[in-house]
Amino acid sequence: MQKLDAEALFQTLVEQMRPHVTPDTALVGIHTGGVWLAERLQQALGLKHPTGSIDVSFYRDDFGSKGLHPQPKRTEIPFDVEGAHVIIVDDVLYTGRTTRAAINELFDFGRPAGVDLAVLVDRGGRELPIAARYCALTLPQPLPASQSLQLETDAAGVFTLRLIDA
Protein backbone atom coordinates (compact mmCIF):
# COMPACT_ATOMS: atom_id res chain seq x y z
CA MET A 1 0.00 0.00 0.00
CA GLN A 2 1.26 3.48 -0.84
CA LYS A 3 1.94 5.98 1.93
CA LEU A 4 -1.17 7.98 2.73
CA ASP A 5 -1.05 11.75 3.30
CA ALA A 6 -3.42 12.20 6.25
CA GLU A 7 -3.36 16.01 6.03
CA ALA A 8 -4.35 15.95 2.34
CA LEU A 9 -7.10 13.43 3.17
CA PHE A 10 -8.32 15.73 5.93
CA GLN A 11 -8.62 18.61 3.43
CA THR A 12 -10.52 16.34 1.04
CA LEU A 13 -12.95 15.45 3.84
CA VAL A 14 -13.48 19.13 4.69
CA GLU A 15 -14.29 19.94 1.06
CA GLN A 16 -16.72 17.00 0.80
CA MET A 17 -18.57 18.09 3.94
CA ARG A 18 -18.57 21.88 3.48
CA PRO A 19 -21.55 22.10 1.06
CA HIS A 20 -23.71 19.86 3.26
CA VAL A 21 -23.24 21.27 6.77
CA THR A 22 -24.72 24.31 8.45
CA PRO A 23 -23.42 26.13 11.53
CA ASP A 24 -26.00 24.08 13.51
CA THR A 25 -24.52 20.71 12.45
CA ALA A 26 -23.03 18.89 15.43
CA LEU A 27 -20.01 16.59 15.32
CA VAL A 28 -19.35 13.64 17.61
CA GLY A 29 -15.95 11.95 17.37
CA ILE A 30 -15.30 8.33 18.29
CA HIS A 31 -12.31 8.00 20.63
CA THR A 32 -9.54 8.49 19.86
CA GLY A 33 -8.78 9.35 16.23
CA GLY A 34 -12.35 10.38 15.50
CA VAL A 35 -12.24 12.94 18.32
CA TRP A 36 -9.09 14.51 16.88
CA LEU A 37 -10.72 14.66 13.44
CA ALA A 38 -13.99 16.08 14.78
CA GLU A 39 -12.18 18.86 16.66
CA ARG A 40 -10.30 19.94 13.53
CA LEU A 41 -13.40 19.59 11.34
CA GLN A 42 -15.42 21.75 13.74
CA GLN A 43 -12.88 24.56 13.33
CA ALA A 44 -12.40 24.13 9.58
CA LEU A 45 -16.15 24.11 8.91
CA GLY A 46 -17.02 26.92 11.35
CA LEU A 47 -19.60 24.94 13.31
CA LYS A 48 -21.08 26.56 16.42
CA HIS A 49 -21.72 23.49 18.60
CA PRO A 50 -18.81 22.23 20.70
CA THR A 51 -17.54 18.84 19.55
CA GLY A 52 -18.85 15.75 21.32
CA SER A 53 -16.90 12.57 21.99
CA ILE A 54 -18.02 8.96 22.34
CA ASP A 55 -16.24 5.96 23.80
CA VAL A 56 -18.10 2.89 22.56
CA SER A 57 -16.42 0.43 24.96
CA PHE A 58 -19.66 -0.44 26.76
CA TYR A 59 -21.75 -0.56 23.58
CA ARG A 60 -19.66 -2.97 21.51
CA ASP A 61 -21.30 -6.26 20.55
CA ASP A 62 -18.05 -8.09 21.34
CA PHE A 63 -17.85 -6.69 24.89
CA GLY A 64 -18.68 -10.11 26.36
CA SER A 65 -15.92 -11.92 24.49
CA LYS A 66 -13.20 -9.24 24.46
CA GLY A 67 -13.91 -7.50 27.74
CA LEU A 68 -13.56 -3.82 28.52
CA HIS A 69 -10.96 -1.68 26.81
CA PRO A 70 -8.15 -1.25 29.36
CA GLN A 71 -8.47 2.54 29.37
CA PRO A 72 -12.04 3.60 28.61
CA LYS A 73 -12.53 7.29 27.87
CA ARG A 74 -15.35 9.57 28.91
CA THR A 75 -18.33 10.15 26.62
CA GLU A 76 -19.25 13.83 26.46
CA ILE A 77 -22.10 15.24 24.39
CA PRO A 78 -22.11 19.01 25.14
CA PHE A 79 -25.21 19.84 23.07
CA ASP A 80 -28.85 18.75 22.90
CA VAL A 81 -29.03 15.68 20.65
CA GLU A 82 -32.84 15.84 20.41
CA GLY A 83 -33.68 17.06 16.88
CA ALA A 84 -30.06 17.81 15.97
CA HIS A 85 -28.28 16.91 12.75
CA VAL A 86 -25.29 14.91 13.99
CA ILE A 87 -22.28 13.66 12.09
CA ILE A 88 -20.38 10.84 13.76
CA VAL A 89 -16.68 11.11 12.93
CA ASP A 90 -14.14 8.29 12.92
CA ASP A 91 -10.67 7.92 11.49
CA VAL A 92 -10.93 4.50 9.82
CA LEU A 93 -14.06 2.56 8.88
CA TYR A 94 -13.60 -1.22 9.02
CA THR A 95 -16.31 -3.72 10.03
CA GLY A 96 -18.96 -1.13 10.92
CA ARG A 97 -19.33 -2.46 14.46
CA THR A 98 -17.77 0.61 16.10
CA THR A 99 -20.11 2.87 14.13
CA ARG A 100 -23.14 0.77 15.14
CA ALA A 101 -22.08 1.03 18.78
CA ALA A 102 -21.65 4.81 18.47
CA ILE A 103 -25.15 5.19 16.99
CA ASN A 104 -26.62 3.13 19.83
CA GLU A 105 -24.85 5.26 22.42
CA LEU A 106 -25.81 8.53 20.69
CA PHE A 107 -29.51 7.59 20.91
CA ASP A 108 -29.15 7.27 24.68
CA PHE A 109 -28.74 11.07 24.65
CA GLY A 110 -31.85 11.76 22.56
CA ARG A 111 -33.35 11.29 19.12
CA PRO A 112 -31.44 13.28 16.51
CA ALA A 113 -33.16 14.53 13.35
CA GLY A 114 -30.48 12.77 11.32
CA VAL A 115 -27.16 10.99 11.70
CA ASP A 116 -24.40 10.80 9.09
CA LEU A 117 -20.93 9.29 9.20
CA ALA A 118 -17.64 10.93 8.17
CA VAL A 119 -14.38 8.98 7.99
CA LEU A 120 -10.90 9.69 6.76
CA VAL A 121 -10.35 6.19 5.29
CA ASP A 122 -12.61 3.26 4.45
CA ARG A 123 -10.33 0.22 4.64
CA GLY A 124 -12.98 -2.29 3.52
CA GLY A 125 -13.99 -5.45 5.35
CA ARG A 126 -17.53 -4.48 6.34
CA GLU A 127 -19.54 -6.92 8.46
CA LEU A 128 -22.59 -4.68 8.88
CA PRO A 129 -24.53 -2.53 6.38
CA ILE A 130 -22.76 0.69 7.39
CA ALA A 131 -21.44 3.27 4.91
CA ALA A 132 -19.92 6.71 5.36
CA ARG A 133 -21.66 9.64 3.68
CA TYR A 134 -18.34 11.50 3.76
CA CYS A 135 -15.14 9.56 3.09
CA ALA A 136 -11.81 11.04 1.96
CA LEU A 137 -10.42 7.73 0.66
CA THR A 138 -11.75 4.24 0.04
CA LEU A 139 -8.89 1.79 -0.34
CA PRO A 140 -9.05 -0.01 -3.71
CA GLN A 141 -8.41 -3.36 -1.99
CA PRO A 142 -9.48 -4.13 1.60
CA LEU A 143 -6.65 -4.39 4.10
CA PRO A 144 -6.12 -7.89 5.46
CA ALA A 145 -7.38 -8.49 9.01
CA SER A 146 -3.73 -8.76 10.14
CA GLN A 147 -3.17 -5.06 9.34
CA SER A 148 -4.65 -1.90 10.74
CA LEU A 149 -4.46 1.80 9.96
CA GLN A 150 -3.93 4.12 12.89
CA LEU A 151 -4.36 7.88 12.88
CA GLU A 152 -1.72 9.71 14.87
CA THR A 153 -1.18 13.36 15.68
CA ASP A 154 1.91 15.21 16.80
CA ALA A 155 2.23 18.07 19.30
CA ALA A 156 1.35 20.58 16.57
CA GLY A 157 -1.83 18.64 15.69
CA VAL A 158 -0.52 17.36 12.34
CA PHE A 159 -2.13 14.09 11.26
CA THR A 160 -0.29 11.02 10.01
CA LEU A 161 -1.55 7.52 9.21
CA ARG A 162 0.48 4.48 10.21
CA LEU A 163 0.04 0.97 8.82
CA ILE A 164 0.46 -1.60 11.58
CA ASP A 165 1.11 -5.31 11.03
CA ALA A 166 -0.24 -7.53 13.80
Side-chain angles (χ1 to χ4, degrees), residues 81 84-88 103 106-107 112-117 133:
V81 170
H85 176 232
V86 178
I87 300 175
I88 295 174
I103 293 169
L106 182 66
F107 272 75
V115 178
D116 285 313
L117 176 64
R133 178 168 183 193

Side-chain angles (χ1 to χ4, degrees), residues 150-165:
Q150 181 174 317
L151 183 68
E152 298 176 341
T153 185
D154 65 15
V158 175
F159 293 140
T160 55
L161 279 165
R162 183 165 60 116
L163 182 64
I164 300 169
D165 291 307

Side-chain angles (χ1 to χ4, degrees), residues 27-103:
L27 302 179
V28 175
I30 299 173
H31 277 292
T32 297
V35 173
W36 297 334
L37 276 173
E39 289 169 347
R40 292 235 347 238
L41 285 167
Q42 192 263 352
Q43 289 181 325
L45 295 168
L47 306 178
K48 74 176 188 179
H49 291 292
T51 303
S53 62
I54 284 184
D55 182 337
V56 299
S57 296
F58 296 106
Y59 288 80
R60 293 201 47 100
D61 60 6
D62 57 3
F63 176 77
S65 62
K66 289 188 175 182
L68 182 61
H69 186 280
Q71 296 175 342
K73 308 281 189 210
R74 182 182 180 112
T75 291
E76 295 184 51
I77 309 291
F79 55 86
D80 187 8
V81 170
E82 194 70 33
H85 176 232
V86 178
I87 300 175
I88 295 174
V89 181
D90 205 2
D91 51 355
V92 179
L93 178 57
Y94 181 26
T95 64
R97 293 182 183 278
T98 298
T99 302
R100 184 215 46 86
I103 293 169

